[in-house]
């Protein structure tokens, strides 16, 4: 997992991004499209057209970092907006990276939710044993 300091923001770039891009071109997109400084230490998350690949860039004071993750099955949950940005918490980022729906429960745009049956059964077993 990426160590995210408590004062770090996580910016998700709405829409799709060309996943052939590296740190330099994603940093340029961060400046132009998101109007943010890619060297601020914040994390910037981009998703490809198919939805199964994402890239995260950040500056960790020692150098440029580029993280990439591809899901073997399914797609990363992404906002329906074609452009703009969304600010996530570090907990929402962790859920996103695991392929779990990170959006709030009251969000009307939720279409599906990934449920880990084994984890739910373990939690129920823990409650019964108490």
């Amino acid at each position: 997992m990426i160590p995210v300091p408590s004062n770090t923001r996580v910016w998700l770039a709405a829409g799709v991004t060309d996943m052939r891009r590296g740190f330099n071109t994603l940093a340029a997109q961060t400046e132009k499209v998101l109007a943010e400084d890619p060297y601020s230490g914040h994390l910037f998350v981009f998703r490809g057209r198919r939805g199964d690949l994402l890239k995260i860039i950040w500056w960790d004071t020692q150098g440029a970092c580029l993280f990439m993750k591809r899901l073997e099955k399914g797609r990363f949950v992404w906002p329906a907006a074609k452009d703009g940005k969304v600010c996530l918490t570090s907990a929402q980022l962790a859920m996103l990276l695991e392929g779990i729906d990170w959006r709030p429960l009251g969000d009307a745009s939720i279409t599906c939710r990934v449920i880990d049956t084994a984890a739910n059964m373990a939690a129920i077993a823990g409650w019964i044993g108490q």
Side-chain angles (χ1 to χ4, degrees), residues 10-92:
V10 179
W11 293 105
L12 189 141
V16 295
T17 301
D18 182 354
M19 288 288 106
R20 296 175 292 181
R21 294 180 174 187
F23 184 90
N24 292 336
T25 50
L26 290 173
Q29 180 178 345
T30 300
E31 287 180 331
K32 293 177 184 172
V33 178
L34 303 179
E36 294 288 338
D37 178 13
Y39 303 103
S40 63
H42 299 307
L43 280 70
F44 300 95
V45 186
F46 304 89
R47 188 184 82 157
R49 183 168 307 282
R50 290 190 324 215
D52 64 341
L53 178 66
L54 61 75
K55 288 186 177 182
I56 302 173
I57 64 167
W58 75 99
W59 182 263
D60 70 353
T61 68
Q62 295 177 348
C65 301
L66 174 65
F67 174 84
M68 182 174 77
K69 181 162 185 179
R70 181 186 318 267
L71 290 178
E72 292 297 320
K73 294 181 182 178
R75 295 180 175 182
F76 291 105
V77 176
W78 214 249
K82 299 293 182 199
D83 58 1
K85 59 188 176 184
V86 176
C87 188
L88 301 181
T89 65
S90 57
Q92 288 173 316

